[in-house]
Amino acid sequence: MSQGNSIKKLNGLQRALSLGLYVSCTAALFLLLALSSFDPADPGWSQSNYQGEIHNLTGAVGAWSADVLFYFMGFSAYVVPIVIATSGWIIFKQTYKLVEVDYFSVGLRLIGFFLMVLSLAALASMNANDIYEFSAGGVTGEVISQAMLPYFNQLGTTLLLLCFIAAGFTLLTGISLLTLVEAVGFGVIWCFNLLRKAPSYIKKPKDSEDTQGFMSVVDKVKLQREEAETQNTESQELDDYLEIQQDKETVSRQEPVISIGNDDNGYSEDSARFDNPDKEAPIDEMPPISIDTQGEQDLDSAPWVDNKQDIDFDTDSSEGGLSQVEREQIAKRKQAKQEDKARIENGIVILPGSEGQDAQAKKMPMAPLPDISLLDVPNRKENPISQEELDQVARLVEAKLADFNITAQVVGVYPGPVVTRFELELAPGVKASKITNLSKDLARSLLAESVRVVEVIPGKAYVGLELPNKFRETVFMRDVLGSQAFADSKSKLSMVLGQDISGEPVVVDLGKMPHLLVAGTTGSGKSVGVNVMITSLLYKSGPEDVRFIMIDPKMLELSVYEGIPHLLCEVVTDMKEASNALRWCVGEMERRYKLMSAMGVRNLKGFNAKIEDAKARGEVITDPLWKSSDSMEETAPELDKLPSIVVVVDEFADMMMIVGKKVEELIARIAQKARAAGIHLVLATQRPSVDVITGLIKANIPTRMAFQVSSKIDSRTILDQQGAETLLGMGDMLYQPPGSSVPVRVHGAFIDDHEVHKVVGDWKERGQPQYIDEILQGSSEGEQVLLPGEVSETDEDTDALYDEAVAFVTESRRGSISSVQRKFKIGYNRAARIIEQMEAQGVVSSPGHNGNRDVLAPPPPKPF
C-alpha cells in the first residue's frame, strides 16, 4: 500500500470540527498577545483618539479588544483566551455527545466558573488598583466591591469573596478543596522525606589512603565478577563466605559510617538494607560499611553486590581474599551440603545417603510433567479501550435505561478480556426482572451483539449488565497454566477453564465436582473446552494418579489422545463398546467400595494415604478380597495406590440414541456412587434437550457448564435458568459450581490442535499405555460380566410368543407395544416384555423422543 493511500481522510463533520479547533486556538493566541502587549496610549474603546504609532503587537484590533476586556474584567481578562482554547478542544474531541450531556452538571460548572471570575475581579479591584493603570478588576469588579463594602467592610467582603471562589472551584471542577489541601500536605511530607534521604549526610574518608582502599575493593569485586562469569564458578562458596563473615565481629560502631548515596555508577543507599529489604530503616539505624587498613570490605552489606552468585572469592589472602581458615570452613560446609543433595540417575531420584545397603529402599521413581514451553507463546494485543470510553458507555447505559423508565446509576465498571460488567444501583422500587425482560431491547439500543443481565451478584446489592467489548481478546491456555492459581492448586484433578470477566484465571477441581455436564451448540467452543480440561489434567498428573476412558462417537475430537500412558483402553468409537466400558466402570466402582470397606477407609484419598503410610513403614498390605480359588497365586497380591478414573464422553446424546436406556442407567449409577471410589464423569453434548439430559442425570450431576445455546429452553435444561442463550460463543461459557445456583461467567482458554499434539507426543515418549481388554470386550473368559444384582436372560425367560411376535414386527415394520398387544390379544405388560426382549436382541431400537421405535431387523424373505 502506498503512503498516499494510507492517509486517512476526514469526513465533512470532522473537517468542520478541525476548522473550529484551528479558529479557536488562533483566536485565543491573538487575544493573549493583545492582552500581554496592551499599552494605555494605544487607541481603544475607553481611550481618546490617537493617530500615532500603535504599540500593541496585534495592531488596532488587538488594542481595541484588550481595552474592552481590561475595562470590564481587569486582570480576569486573561481567563478569556484559556476558555476559548479549552472550548475548541472539547468540541473537537467530542468528549460528550449531545444525548449524553448532563445539562444539570454543565449548569453547575457554568455557575462555578462565573462565580470564580466575578469574585476574583472584585478582589483585584479591592487590593490591586494601585499597581495598574485601570481598575484591576474592571468595571465588573468595581461594581461588585463597591456594592459589598458598605455592608461588610474590607475584611468581611474579602472573606465572602474567598468563600465564593472556593465554592466556584468546587462547582467547576468537582474537586473538594479539602482533598486538594490533603494532596498538598502529602506532597510536602513526601518532599521532606526526599530531602532527608538526600546524599547531604554522606561522610567521606578523612585521608586519601582510605579512599584508594575503597576504590581498590570496588575494582577488585568487579574483576572477580568477570572471572566468575568466564569460569562458571559455583555460587556455594559465596554463600558460605557470607555466613562466615556474618559470624565475624569486624564491624564496630565507633568506626566512621559510610552511607552510599546515588552515585555515577547507579549505586543507592537503599540496597545496603539487608535485614528486611521491604522496610525502610532510618538513616541512623542503617548497617555501617567499615573499611579496614588492608582494604577488605564486609561484602554482606556492600551495595554494589547485586548478584552474589556471580562472584568468585578464590583469591589469596594477601590480595584481600580468603584466609586459609576460611577456605577450610568453606570446604567442610560445601562437602556437607553436597552430601545432602539428591541426584538424578537414569530417571531415578536418589535420596541422600542411599549409596549404602539401603540404596534400593531409598530410590523412588521420578514422574516429571510436560513443560509449558510445549505451548505457543501467545501474541497478545492490548485492549485499546480507555477509561474515557468506559465512562461514555456508562453514561449511555444510564440514558438508555432512562428511555425505558428505569432509573439506575452505574456504580462500578469492570472491564475484562471479552466483556465488561457495569454494576447498576437501581432506584427504590425497581425490580431486577424488569431489566432482564429488556435485555434484547438494550442490546439493540446499545448496538451490542447481546446483553446479559446478572440479577444477583453475590455480596453486592447491585445488578450486573455485561456488554461485549468492541475488541475481543483471546484467552490463551499458556497464560492460565502459568498462573499462580494453577501452580498453587494441589489437587491431581485440577482443571483449567479460562479467565473470568475481570481477567483472573479460573482453575477448578474435578474431584470436588465430582462430575461435570457440558452443553453447547456447534461452534460454541465446547470441544476446545474439553481439550483444555484434558490437557490441563495431563499437565497436573501422571498415569499413576489419573487414568482416562475416552468415548468419542464422532471419531474426531478425542482420537488425538490415542497412545498416551493415561488411557485404560483405546479411545472408544463403537457405542456398544462404550456401553461395555460404562458397565466395567460400575463393576470397578463396586470392587473399590468393597476394598475400601475392608480397609476401613471412606474414600480413595484415605485408601491411597493408608497404602503410602504402610510403604513408608516398610509394611505390606495384601488384598483382603483375594480368594485362593480366584487365582493361581499362592498368596494374596500386594495392594498399591489406585488412580482416579476420568470418563470423558464427547457426545453422549449419540451414545444414548444408539445404545438406549441402559446407558442412562449406567451413567446415573456412576454419578450416584462413584465419587468416593475416584471415578468421575465429564459428559458433553450438543443437544441439551430433556430426552438427553434427563432428570435422573441432572439430579446426580450438580456441576454444569453451558456454552452458547440456541434458546432459553436449552439454557434452562442445562442450568435451570436462562442466560446461556446470550453468550458470545468461541469459548464464552457459564460455569455453575457445585452447591451454588449462581453461574460464573468464564471466557474459555484456547489451545490449538498442534499444541495438543505436542503435549500428547511428549507423553507418548515417556511410556506406553497398559490397556485392560475386559473394558471394551465386556466379557472375561467368555462369560458376560454382570453387575451386582443383575441376572442374565435365559431361554426359559423368553416368552412363548416371542418368535411369532418377531416375525410380525419384521414383516409389518411396526415395533410398538400396542400393535403386538392387538395382534396376539395379550395384556400390556406381556407385550411390553416382548418388545423389551426385541430391543435387547437388536430387533427394534430404543424409543425415540416421541415414543416410536424403529425396526432394525430386515424383513423375512418371501416364499417362491
Side-chain angles (χ1 to χ4, degrees), residues 596-607:
M596 290 185 293
S597 177
M599 293 284 293
V601 295
R602 299 184 58 184
N603 50 32
L604 184 66
K605 183 177 180 181
F607 176 85

Side-chain angles (χ1 to χ4, degrees), residues 150-378:
Y151 299 98
F152 302 101
N153 290 336
Q154 184 82 11
L155 180 59
T157 303
T158 303
L159 290 176
L160 286 176
L161 292 175
L162 290 176
C163 178
F164 293 156
I165 292 175
F169 177 80
T170 301
L171 292 176
L172 176 63
T173 62
I175 302 174
S176 174
L177 285 180
L178 296 178
T179 305
L180 192 61
V181 170
E182 289 181 355
V184 173
F186 283 121
V188 172
I189 295 174
W190 180 83
C191 294
F192 180 74
N193 292 334
L194 188 63
L195 291 176
R196 286 187 59 192
K197 297 179 181 179
S200 60
Y201 49 79
I202 296 180
K203 299 179 181 179
K204 298 182 179 180
K206 295 181 180 179
D207 51 8
S208 59
E209 294 181 1
D210 290 343
T211 304
Q212 294 176 359
F214 173 77
M215 295 303 297
S216 65
V217 172
V218 175
D219 296 337
K220 182 175 64 176
V221 170
K222 291 182 179 179
L223 181 60
Q224 291 171 351
R225 291 180 63 180
E226 294 176 358
E227 293 177 355
E229 292 175 356
T230 57
Q231 298 176 2
N232 294 325
T233 305
E234 294 184 358
S235 62
Q236 188 63 42
E237 295 182 8
L238 173 61
D239 296 335
D240 296 335
Y241 174 77
L242 295 178
E243 293 178 5
I244 295 173
Q245 291 290 52
Q246 289 178 2
D247 298 335
K248 293 171 61 178
E249 298 180 354
T250 59
V251 179
S252 177
R253 290 292 181 180
Q254 286 75 21
E255 294 178 352
V257 177
I258 301 179
S259 301
I260 308 297
N262 292 333
D263 58 6
D264 297 338
N265 294 328
Y267 306 135
S268 64
E269 52 98 17
D270 289 335
S271 60
R273 305 187 184 103
F274 59 90
D275 291 334
N276 189 358
D278 297 332
K279 182 177 180 181
E280 295 187 359
I283 298 174
D284 55 350
E285 296 180 2
M286 293 180 58
I289 303 176
S290 62
I291 302 176
D292 56 11
T293 57
Q294 295 181 358
E296 287 190 0
Q297 173 106 16
D298 186 4
L299 295 178
D300 189 23
S301 57
W304 61 82
V305 183
D306 55 350
N307 188 359
K308 298 178 181 179
Q309 296 182 357
D310 295 334
I311 304 177
D312 184 13
F313 291 91
D314 192 13
T315 57
D316 295 332
S317 59
S318 59
E319 300 175 357
L322 303 179
S323 64
Q324 185 64 27
V325 177
E326 292 173 347
R327 293 176 184 273
E328 294 177 357
Q329 293 179 355
I330 290 177
K332 292 180 180 179
R333 295 192 183 192
K334 183 177 178 181
Q335 182 179 1
K337 292 186 177 181
Q338 188 68 23
E339 293 176 354
D340 291 337
K341 291 183 179 180
R343 71 174 188 269
I344 301 175
E345 294 181 358
N346 299 326
I348 300 296
V349 180
I350 301 181
L351 300 179
S354 61
E355 289 78 7
Q357 297 179 355
D358 299 331
Q360 296 297 328
K362 294 187 178 181
K363 292 183 179 181
M364 63 178 183
M366 180 182 179
L369 296 175
D371 191 77
I372 198 173
S373 61
L374 296 174
L375 304 179
D376 296 341
V377 178

